[in-house]
Amino acid sequence: MLHSIIITNARGVLLLSRYFGGGAEAWDNEGGAARMAWERRLWAVGAPWAGQPGRAKDVDAGVNMIDQWTVVWRTAGDLTVFLAGDDEYDELVLAQEVWPLVREILKEHLSDKLTEAALLRSDIYGKVHARQLLLPVALRLPH
């Protein structure tokens, strides 16, 4: 199951998040604190490389496990994208099927300017978020 797609800037500030179920459903009882804890854990696995001075754009990537979730993270411009899933959404599916869709959504709406400022423009932010809502349909996921 695809768990989440989280987009942060190079400093780890959350810009966009989309949760698709799995463990996220249980968080409804715990509120925002559980989501914040998850997002901090994601950043903790990616922080050692993200934002290194002089790093090459679009080449940083990694894989880790957090609880039962496989986490794949990639950079796109000055954005960091975290993808989490389990079962059939292992690191290969996340990296080779989900990541290209997310990247194309970003590139389409940000005109290849994969920056925090481009994402947060009010007309673009809503379009990217709306397209993420359609991601389960593109991947043929159960809603």
Side-chain angles (χ1 to χ4, degrees):
M1 169 181 294
L2 184 61
H3 177 270
S4 58
I5 298 172
I6 309 292
I7 301 174
T8 70
N9 66 15
R11 296 176 314 280
V13 176
L14 178 68
L15 302 175
L16 187 69
S17 64
R18 174 71 171 108
Y19 292 89
F20 296 95
E25 294 168 347
W27 293 345
D28 292 337
N29 298 332
E30 298 178 40
R35 285 184 188 219
M36 285 177 35
W38 169 255
E39 291 156 3
R40 273 191 239 110
R41 291 178 74 191
L42 287 176
W43 185 249
V45 300
W49 55 265
Q52 290 178 355
R55 70 179 171 90
K57 302 284 186 194
D58 300 324
V59 297
D60 292 326
V63 177
N64 207 328
M65 294 290 296
I66 298 178
D67 300 329
Q68 79 271 22
W69 304 104
T70 301
V71 177
V72 172
W73 63 92
R74 300 285 305 257
T75 58
D78 68 357
L79 305 175
T80 303
V81 179
F82 294 91
L83 309 169
D86 69 352
D87 298 330
E88 70 273 12
Y89 285 89
D90 61 12
E91 62 274 9
L92 292 176
V93 172
L94 292 170
Q96 295 177 356
E97 293 184 32
V98 179
W99 165 246
L101 285 172
V102 171
R103 182 173 169 79
E104 284 309 308
I105 289 170
L106 291 171
K107 287 176 74 174
E108 177 183 341
H109 293 292
L110 303 181
S111 303
D112 289 328
K113 296 176 185 160
L114 302 178
T115 65
E116 176 182 2
L119 177 64
L120 294 180
R121 280 192 24 222
S122 61
D123 58 326
I124 300 298
Y125 188 81
K127 289 177 185 176
V128 171
H129 195 283
R131 288 289 301 273
Q132 278 193 357
L133 294 175
L134 297 175
L135 198 60
V137 174
L139 293 169
R140 294 178 181 86
L141 297 173
H143 301 292

